[in-house]
Amino acid sequence: MSRTSRNRLCRSLRGAAVLSAGGAFRAWGLALNRNQTAARRTVARAAPLRIATRADLMETSVQPARALRGSPTAPGDKSISHRAAILSSIAEGTAVIENFQNGADCRATLSCLRLLGVPWRWLEADTVEISGVGLAGLSEPPNVLDCRNSGTTMRMLAGLLAAQPFLSVLSGDASLRSRPMGRVIEPLRRMGADIRARDHNSLAPPVICGGSLVGIEYDMPVASAQVKSSLLLAGLYARGETTVREPSPSRDHTELMLQAMGADITSTNGVATIRRQQRGLKPLSLRVPGDISAAAFWLVAGAAHPEAQITLSSVGVNPRRTGILDALRAMGADIDIRNERLSGPEPVADIDVHSSTLTGTRIGGDMIPRLIDEIPLIALAASQAHGETVIQDAAELRVKESDRIRTTVRELRRLGVDITELPDGLSIKGPTRLRGGRVSSHGDHRLAMMLGVAALLARESTTISNSQAVSVSYPRFWEDLKALSGP
Ligand code: S3P
């Protein structure tokens, strides 16, 4: 990269890091005795939360927090936002999606849809209007579709594009190009799709020569909402009936949204059946619930910090996503769920969390798909809990944006956590007083945010490298952390 373009990139990153402005971003220091029953607290020197930028990386230093109080607004749910964008694109008419998650992943989905000929525009910062082109209205993209870091974009679009009468190629960043795609390509090929990909059809970029498909019955080897959704999208177009059976039920946002839009779909206990769509899909305007996977960072911060009271409003509480609430409650967390209601087809509620004395627990089996994205965070909570926590049946974590079993172990160990890697999970013994220091996100958004929460609980300052990764799903994360912990 030339010096001028490096400087330009550096300047724009600095501009994006609102937090760097003159050290205005403050988190007050506190040294904590982690024995929660007899917490001896000494107020440490207040220091600014520092953001430094290099040409390609940003690092964030976070001071321990004296107290955590406030009501952060979780961004719109990432999974629901992807689905709202994709399904609205093939509906008959216009839908307005409020509280659309505007992180990099969902923006990647919107950019791909534009290349497929779908008109959409922002009405406000987080409200997008999508003019559906109907089931047969997509057009051949003039370029490779760049899914960036987003597995949901690539896998769901693969299913939709397998049924379109044109050629498309889906690609993404280095992380996405190393993640398994055979899990969608193989069943889509069984439906008659013409798809080729690297490494014996297992790695992106997939090249899709779309065409007519036939419905299949498919027993999924692993529970995956992305794979299920991909096959259901293909099933909308396939002759006959498509049935997908999961080993454990995963999130069902696609099924709920398709039902609300008039698709011929049934779904019970991990078995979903869809029939070819004869009539157009009705457009569905909705307000996307707050993302429980983002709210989870503040739930763990609130439960594990000895001086905390946090309220989260309008968070999605679809039972296929609330494993984190069950796990934290099983650990003794003081969590109240109030004011349950519906937002479109999805349940939402307000959630309060207070400082709690946590104890270890066991997590595995059917619970795993209900909290798959929250496991690094549960490992952090477990490090503050009395006794041992064992998480099993979670080998899927190895093929996320990073190998989250390995990266969680590596980074929490650096903070002093007694944590062991299992082939399909983690074992953690607590409580441990986190020591602070230098850690890395490995470019994984959920690792960056988990380490940000760990930093609030630590004895000394923690510097998280590659901290800009949060922009994938929670661009305001560092500002919200500041607001919760600042005086
Ligand atoms: C998602 C499903 C899960 C989850 C991911 C989002 C979705 O992945 O980890 O963050 O939106 O369908 P898998 O389908 O691979 O389990």
Side-chain angles (χ1 to χ4, degrees):
M1 188 186 284
S2 76
R3 205 167 159 163
T4 340
S5 53
R6 187 185 295 271
N7 287 344
R8 207 175 294 131
L9 176 58
C10 199
R11 268 200 307 280
S12 71
L13 270 174
R14 220 176 271 131
V18 193
L19 316 173
S20 62
F25 190 5
R26 280 172 197 284
W28 292 83
L30 175 71
L32 295 175
N33 178 337
R34 300 301 308 154
N35 178 338
Q36 289 165 323
T37 44
R40 177 177 58 81
R41 300 190 181 105
T42 39
V43 178
R45 192 166 47 89
L49 189 151
R50 240 184 19 250
I51 306 284
T53 54
R54 292 206 330 241
D56 51 348
L57 292 181
M58 183 169 111
E59 61 180 36
T60 302
S61 295
V62 179
Q63 303 304 312
R66 183 178 49 187
L68 297 174
R69 294 197 196 290
S71 314
T73 306
D77 188 278
K78 182 157 81 74
S79 294
I80 297 174
S81 299
H82 282 298
R83 287 154 172 81
I86 294 171
L87 291 176
S88 300
S89 295
I90 51 169
E92 296 281 332
T94 296
V96 174
I97 317 295
E98 291 173 86
N99 203 30
F100 186 88
Q101 218 247 52
N102 65 10
D105 270 16
C106 294
R107 283 179 180 265
T109 290
L110 287 177
S111 305
C112 292
L113 292 170
R114 176 153 287 155
L115 283 189
L116 289 163
V118 178
W120 58 262
R121 62 187 178 124
W122 292 105
L123 298 182
E124 282 168 45
D126 59 1
T127 302
V128 63
E129 180 192 72
I130 300 177
S131 305
V133 295
L135 286 161
L138 297 174
S139 50
E140 183 170 90
N143 204 344
V144 170
L145 299 167
D146 186 0
C147 307
R148 301 174 66 175
N149 191 239
S150 175
T152 310
T153 307
M154 185 172 283
R155 295 193 178 115
M156 286 189 65
L157 287 183
L160 178 62
L161 295 173
Q164 310 305 318
F166 52 71
L167 181 120
S168 46
V169 181
L170 294 160
S171 196
D173 69 9
S175 155
L176 187 57
R177 281 181 281 111
S178 71
R179 296 178 63 190
M181 291 302 147
R183 54 180 61 191
V184 285
I185 295 173
E186 195 266 327
L188 287 170
R189 283 170 65 100
R190 277 205 223 170
M191 294 176 80
D194 180 354
I195 308 183
R196 303 284 170 85
R198 280 188 308 132
D199 197 20
H200 308 287
N201 297 325
S202 69
L203 291 177
V207 178
I208 306 172
C209 289
S212 53
L213 304 177
V214 281
I216 56 168
E217 279 202 29
Y218 187 63
D219 284 301
M220 289 171 46
V222 288
S224 162
Q226 293 176 359
V227 175
K228 174 178 62 178
S229 302
S230 183
L231 301 184
L232 293 175
L233 281 168
L236 268 178
Y237 294 85
R239 208 164 59 239
E241 214 172 75
T242 302
T243 296
V244 190
R245 263 184 227 99
E246 296 190 272
S248 303
S250 67
R251 63 196 72 188
D252 60 356
H253 309 302
T254 306
E255 296 90 306
L256 292 176
M257 212 176 275
L258 277 170
Q259 255 154 16
M261 294 173 78
D264 189 354
I265 179 169
T266 54
S267 165
T268 36
N269 292 332
V271 184
T273 298
I274 191 161
R275 275 157 291 274
R276 178 188 235 156
Q277 189 63 24
Q278 308 289 358
R279 285 169 288 125
L281 291 172
K282 290 182 285 192
L284 179 70
S285 291
L286 80 153
R287 182 167 181 83
V288 177
D291 195 331
I292 190 161
S293 296
F297 295 101
W298 312 129
L299 293 174
V300 167
H305 193 286
E307 285 293 334
Q309 178 156 0
I310 299 174
T311 295
L312 296 147
S313 300
S314 303
V315 177
V317 287
N318 181 317
R320 302 268 180 102
R321 296 286 297 283
T322 48
I324 179 69
L325 298 177
D326 299 345
L328 286 175
R329 278 177 160 166
M331 295 173 87
D334 184 359
I335 292 177
D336 277 344
I337 301 172
R338 295 179 286 112
N339 204 6
E340 279 195 60
R341 57 210 186 265
L342 282 178
S343 185
E346 293 280 347
V348 295
D350 305 328
I351 307 178
D352 298 317
V353 61
H354 306 267
S355 311
S356 313
T357 300
L358 301 177
T359 49
T361 188
R362 295 190 79 86
I363 297 171
D366 281 357
M367 180 92 152
I368 295 295
R370 298 180 56 235
L371 47 65
I372 186 73
D373 292 336
E374 288 68 73
I375 291 176
L377 202 46
I378 293 173
L380 171 64
S383 77
Q384 305 306 298
H386 294 262
E388 188 177 12
T389 296
V390 180
I391 303 165
Q392 281 176 299
D393 307 317
E396 269 298 293
L397 285 182
R398 296 206 181 269
V399 291
K400 294 294 177 189
E401 288 83 330
S402 68
D403 173 346
R404 284 188 183 150
I405 296 184
R406 182 142 300 168
T407 50
T408 299
V409 168
R410 187 172 299 173
E411 301 310 316
L412 285 182
R413 258 196 204 144
R414 288 192 196 188
L415 297 177
V417 175
D418 181 354
I419 179 165
T420 308
E421 177 170 348
L422 307 175
D424 64 344
L426 299 160
S427 131
I428 309 103
K429 291 195 184 115
T432 299
R433 215 177 153 188
L434 304 180
R435 57 173 169 242
R438 286 194 71 83
V439 286
S440 166
S441 74
H442 297 264
D444 181 333
H445 58 129
R446 298 206 194 276
L447 254 286
M449 294 186 275
M450 179 275 278
L451 293 167
V453 173
L456 296 173
L457 307 172
R459 206 169 32 189
E460 279 152 22
S461 166
T462 305
T463 298
I464 300 133
S465 66
N466 230 328
S467 56
Q468 79 290 348
V470 304
S471 64
V472 158
S473 64
Y474 195 163
R476 274 194 338 264
F477 178 80
W478 297 115
E479 288 153 284
D480 284 359
L481 180 140
K482 170 207 166 193
L484 261 186
S485 59

